[in-house]
Amino acid sequence: MTENAIITIENLNKHFKSGDLLSKVLKDINLEIERGECIVLKGVSGSGKTTLLSIMGGLDRPSSGKVLVEGESISKLPDLHISHFRAQKIGMIFQHFNLFDHLTATENVMIPLIPARLSMDEVDQKVHSSLKLANISHKAESTAGRLSGGEKQRVAIARALVSDPAIILCDEPTANLDRDNSLKFIEILGQLHEMGKTIVVATHDPLFDTLSFANRVVPMEDGSLVGSISKGLQ
Amino acid sequence: MRNSPFFHFLTLEFFKERKKHMGVIAISLVILFLLSSVLFISSSIRYSLEQTLDQEPDFVVQRIQGGERVSVPTEWMDRLLEIHGISSVTARVYGRYFFKSKEKSFLIVGVDFMDEQSHKALRTIMDEVDLREFLKGDNMLVGGGVSHYLKSHFYPKGYTFLTPKGAFKKVHLFKVLPRESNLIANDMIIVPIELAQEIFGMNEEEVSDITFNVPNDDEWANVEDKISSFHYDLRVITKNDIKKAYENLYNYKGGIFLILFLITIVTFVLILYQRYSMVYSSERRHIGLLRALGWSINDVLKLKFFETMMVVIVAYILGVGLAYLYVFVLGAPLLREIFLGGANLHNVITLVPVLNFGILSSIFLIYAVPFVSAVLIPVWKIAVTDPKEAML
Ligand SMILES: Nc1ncnc2c1ncn2[C@@H]1O[C@H](COP(=O)(O)OP(=O)(O)OP(=O)(O)O)[C@@H](O)[C@H]1O
Ligand SMILES: [Mg+2]
């Protein structure tokens, strides 16, 4: 384990049982991600990207193996701890944005902060600066359901950033965006990278092949990592 | 609380998703309204009955021959007076009188106005009657139902009764009894005791039954035993027997309703349970997403608990409040027929507002406990699973 590693995955396996059928979705995965790194997990549909990402984010548990985040094993934490871990360390950006459509942008961004026992003023202030960072302040009071795809995506980014997590996990972030919005997203991702966030993007979008700031592209195939193309830290 | 992001979010969710809650509130409101109306009516009736029965004599002595009630000889009274512990021995003359059409009958009650004890039970009703004037001729006091019947059959001033001996007896309508007395006196005709004896074809040594009180409760069983052995065809009825008979009747009607409500509530709760535990419901995504965004199981349960409590409390206050208005202000149209119907005439009684903590809290518990569990159990089940649904 490198000293600088923020996420360490050791011999990770994940399988799902449906009846008698056992499908192995992740096979013997070993991966080390350094603090501040930007990693692109690349693979076709069904290769296990989402599954790997949800295990890293503490949304799912491995069948065997270990996931260490900042040296702490998250796979066996009790619920209260793993919830805290998610709230403080992880920012999630989902393929389908997953906003609460009946709430406004501001209210959506507020959600991760609610269990944190902050005052209303602190919450307002954090939400405000996060919306600004994601470049969506002008739609702060709009109902999420009425926003365009690109705007929704930026609200989702603001929500992922609001508790100032060290790690940002993105699952197919551009799958529902047009080219322009995809490029805008990549631009914001670049800013986050500059801020020192550790970023993991799961995607099969070719736009990410030529990402100027990506340190590594990790190809995934049928549940395994197949070598990695390192671009070296900038 | 105003400065708490949790309550801010709670109220936000509640009001922005009010459409989701409206249906549930509406159904709850109807159930709560009916449930509280029935409980209000039955407790009010029970209260009135207790008040009425309190004024009734402790014991009634009747005579039974061949399974039928027959008149009691007045000499029994003297024998009763010899028993230790008995007071206020009174003879009563009353009976049902069937009108021409035979489908209507009224209760004729003869009162010995010379005897203080005899009209004690009716005292409240008779308070405003000018007795001197009343006793001058053949007069009667009638309840609201009787008055209504006589008027509609064109006897506004009085009625000519036909005695079993074939004679006619003309009686003037002296006064209609006040509305408040309608629970007991609605179909009652009150006349002097001699007049009642005449209408029923009895002689002066005969009465319908004899009543008396036993002030010491401990003596009741003892006295009952003693009197039963007086005469082979004598029957004794205690106030407790009457009370039980009435209570059984109203408990029975109330019980049927309660069972109906329980069935309704159970059905409703099952529907709610289904709704919250549906595999691909939006609720499931909702919860999964909150969990993915760093909410613990407790945080989710807390939100859903308060959200449900808000629904419960809004529905409770509205439902119980409307029931109160319906029963005690409007007088419970329709439902009262079911409870008070079966009496000979359309009853025009006033439901006295009776509100006690017991009724209010049982309504709340009958409704809130199953409701809250029907929501929280499936929510909890969803919340404990890993929140990867959010990723799909
Ligand atoms: N809960 C589950 N039960 C059974 N099989 C599952 C479950 N979740 C995922 N899988 C299977 O695991 C495999 C990998 O799924 P995953 O969603 O991780 O792929 P992916 O790389 O994200 O695909 P896509 O690019 O389409 O999003 C798929 O074959 C899928 O059918
Ligand atoms: Mg996927």
Side-chain angles (χ1 to χ4, degrees):
Chain A
M1 195 174 106
T2 331
E3 243 174 64
N4 212 14
I6 187 164
I7 301 177
T8 310
I9 297 171
E10 288 171 6
N11 305 323
L12 174 75
N13 282 284
K14 177 72 180 175
H15 48 76
F16 291 105
K17 259 188 220 138
S18 48
D20 289 339
L21 222 67
L22 189 81
S23 57
K24 293 189 168 182
V25 174
L26 296 178
K27 299 165 195 164
D28 250 337
I29 297 214
N30 287 285
L31 181 65
E32 214 164 79
I33 301 171
E34 285 179 23
R35 194 177 289 277
E37 224 186 338
C38 177
I39 284 205
V40 178
L41 277 176
K42 210 160 172 0
V44 294
S45 185
S47 52
K49 306 182 293 292
T50 300
T51 309
L52 181 55
L53 224 49
S54 30
I55 291 174
M56 282 188 213
L59 298 184
D60 202 352
R61 293 175 194 248
S63 305
S64 68
K66 255 194 201 169
V67 178
L68 304 172
V69 175
E70 292 185 331
E72 194 181 4
S73 167
I74 61 162
S75 29
K76 289 192 183 80
L77 287 178
D79 170 69
L80 198 64
H81 285 81
I82 204 145
S83 301
H84 274 162
F85 159 78
R86 278 200 293 271
Q88 287 163 10
K89 303 246 161 86
I90 306 286
M92 278 276 184
I93 295 170
F94 310 93
Q95 174 172 354
H96 300 287
F97 316 132
N98 280 350
L99 300 178
F100 289 85
D101 281 345
H102 57 280
L103 300 180
T104 65
T106 304
E107 291 154 5
N108 264 289
V109 174
M110 188 183 292
I111 292 173
L113 296 178
I114 285 169
R117 301 186 197 288
L118 301 172
S119 77
M120 204 61 215
D121 290 340
E122 287 171 289
V123 169
D124 280 341
Q125 186 245 318
K126 279 173 191 275
V127 169
H128 184 77
S129 56
S130 191
L131 283 166
K132 204 165 175 185
L133 192 65
N135 200 10
I136 190 72
S137 298
H138 56 290
K139 294 284 183 186
E141 296 313 316
S142 306
T143 305
R146 303 227 180 91
L147 296 174
S148 74
E151 289 165 343
K152 280 182 185 168
Q153 179 72 298
R154 275 176 275 156
V155 175
I157 296 170
R159 184 176 63 185
L161 294 176
V162 74
S163 43
D164 193 23
I167 302 163
I168 309 272
L169 304 177
C170 315
D171 190 21
E172 314 269 8
T174 56
N176 290 299
L177 298 181
D178 57 22
R179 201 186 142 81
D180 261 11
N181 277 312
S182 299
L183 289 172
K184 269 186 202 157
F185 175 78
I186 288 171
E187 199 183 308
I188 296 173
L189 216 54
Q191 284 172 19
L192 298 183
H193 179 67
E194 260 160 42
M195 288 165 66
K197 305 276 182 206
T198 306
I199 300 171
V200 182
V201 185
T203 187
H204 52 237
D205 188 339
L207 273 178
F208 285 87
D209 291 348
T210 54
L211 219 53
S212 58
F213 54 86
N215 309 105
R216 263 194 289 173
V217 175
V218 180
M220 255 190 112
E221 225 168 76
D222 199 19
S224 307
L225 302 184
V226 283
S228 68
I229 306 151
S230 179
K231 295 191 171 178
L233 282 171
Q234 287 182 322
Chain B
M1 212 153 102
R2 237 189 132 257
N3 203 24
S4 149
F6 176 79
F7 282 100
H8 175 81
F9 187 70
L10 176 70
T11 44
L12 208 87
E13 272 276 281
F14 187 77
F15 287 109
K16 295 222 170 170
E17 294 234 75
R18 59 182 175 274
K19 272 200 203 114
K20 180 179 106 185
H21 300 304
M22 278 311 159
V24 176
I25 290 182
I27 298 172
S28 308
L29 206 151
V30 172
I31 294 177
L32 279 169
F33 170 77
L34 291 172
L35 178 67
S36 349
S37 296
V38 168
L39 288 177
F40 284 160
I41 293 174
S42 62
S43 65
S44 176
I45 289 175
R46 182 164 308 150
Y47 175 81
S48 305
L49 272 177
E50 266 162 22
Q51 296 276 304
T52 312
L53 284 174
D54 272 350
Q55 300 171 348
E56 290 284 300
D58 296 342
F59 284 80
V60 177
V61 177
Q62 298 174 338
R63 187 175 194 178
I64 307 292
Q65 278 178 353
E68 298 251 341
R69 276 187 57 196
V70 297
S71 35
V72 176
T74 43
E75 51 149 337
W76 284 14
M77 284 177 78
D78 305 327
R79 298 175 62 185
L80 283 172
L81 281 167
E82 284 163 15
I83 300 178
H84 185 71
I86 288 185
S87 66
S88 337
V89 180
T90 308
R92 297 196 305 193
V93 176
Y94 64 89
R96 291 232 151 240
Y97 182 89
F98 285 85
F99 279 74
K100 273 185 214 146
S101 54
K102 291 281 177 195
E103 70 208 13
K104 285 282 182 217
S105 74
F106 295 109
L107 185 66
I108 297 184
V109 178
V111 177
D112 184 356
F113 289 97
M114 294 302 123
D115 178 5
E116 268 296 299
Q117 293 301 335
S118 157
H119 67 277
K120 187 178 159 200
L122 297 166
R123 185 178 288 158
T124 39
I125 296 177
M126 311 269 294
D127 256 357
E128 289 162 30
V129 179
D130 179 357
L131 276 184
R132 197 182 292 261
E133 196 59 34
F134 179 71
L135 293 173
K136 265 184 190 163
D138 290 331
N139 288 316
M140 61 181 172
L141 300 165
V142 303
V146 183
S147 150
H148 181 79
Y149 177 82
L150 291 178
K151 254 185 216 145
S152 64
H153 288 75
F154 309 106
Y155 300 106
K157 294 214 173 109
Y159 189 78
T160 306
F161 294 90
L162 178 63
T163 74
K165 291 168 182 161
F168 289 102
K169 186 74 196 171
K170 190 171 182 195
V171 182
H172 288 281
L173 199 165
F174 188 76
K175 198 171 191 274
V176 179
L177 296 168
R179 262 173 148 256
E180 293 82 80
S181 61
N182 277 346
L183 182 60
I184 42 168
N186 187 49
D187 64 348
M188 233 186 228
I189 298 174
I190 297 174
V191 293
I193 195 160
E194 301 78 15
L195 184 52
Q197 282 170 321
E198 212 178 326
I199 293 173
F200 290 124
M202 299 176 181
N203 64 42
E204 279 174 26
E205 272 69 53
E206 288 177 321
V207 292
S208 305
D209 59 24
I210 299 168
T211 66
F212 60 87
N213 289 339
V214 175
N216 182 356
D217 288 355
D218 298 339
E219 295 278 332
W220 278 41
N222 194 9
V223 167
E224 197 176 346
D225 278 354
K226 245 184 217 168
I227 294 173
S228 305
S229 58
F230 253 31
H231 201 273
Y232 62 93
D233 52 11
L234 178 149
R235 179 167 75 176
V236 191
I237 300 168
T238 69
K239 182 152 80 178
N240 290 344
D241 297 335
I242 303 174
K243 208 176 216 163
K244 260 182 218 142
Y246 270 118
E247 277 181 356
N248 283 344
L249 177 66
Y250 287 111
N251 283 346
Y252 167 72
K253 284 182 176 175
I256 289 180
F257 270 98
L258 272 185
I259 289 168
L260 284 179
F261 285 125
L262 287 182
I263 293 170
T264 322
I265 288 177
V266 166
T267 320
F268 181 52
V269 158
L270 282 179
I271 293 170
L272 267 182
Y273 189 91
Q274 283 281 40
R275 169 172 156 183
Y276 274 88
S277 49
M278 274 219 306
V279 187
Y280 291 110
S281 74
S282 61
E283 207 61 44
R284 209 183 175 88
R285 279 185 71 81
H286 208 119
I287 294 166
L289 187 53
L290 289 176
R291 299 268 293 123
L293 294 173
W295 287 45
S296 67
I297 295 169
N298 281 342
D299 295 327
V300 172
L301 285 178
K302 193 172 139 196
L303 179 78
K304 291 292 162 187
F305 174 75
F306 278 101
E307 194 181 289
T308 316
M309 281 317 275
M310 280 167 85
V311 172
V312 166
I313 287 167
V314 168
Y316 178 78
I317 290 174
L318 288 179
V320 173
L322 285 178
Y324 188 91
L325 289 180
Y326 167 74
V327 173
F328 297 129
V329 178
L330 300 180
L334 293 179
L335 262 190
R336 68 183 302 143
E337 309 293 321
I338 300 171
F339 270 89
L340 295 169
N344 201 298
L345 278 168
H346 179 73
N347 263 301
V348 196
I349 69 151
T350 328
L351 292 166
V352 196
V354 181
L355 262 196
N356 65 44
F357 183 74
I359 298 178
L360 291 179
S361 51
S362 33
I363 294 173
F364 189 79
L365 289 181
I366 289 176
Y367 163 68
V369 171
F371 188 111
V372 173
S373 357
V375 175
L376 287 195
I377 293 171
V379 165
W380 175 76
K381 277 187 173 171
I382 296 170
V384 292
T385 58
D386 287 320
K388 55 176 183 288
E389 319 273 340
M391 303 287 282
L392 303 175

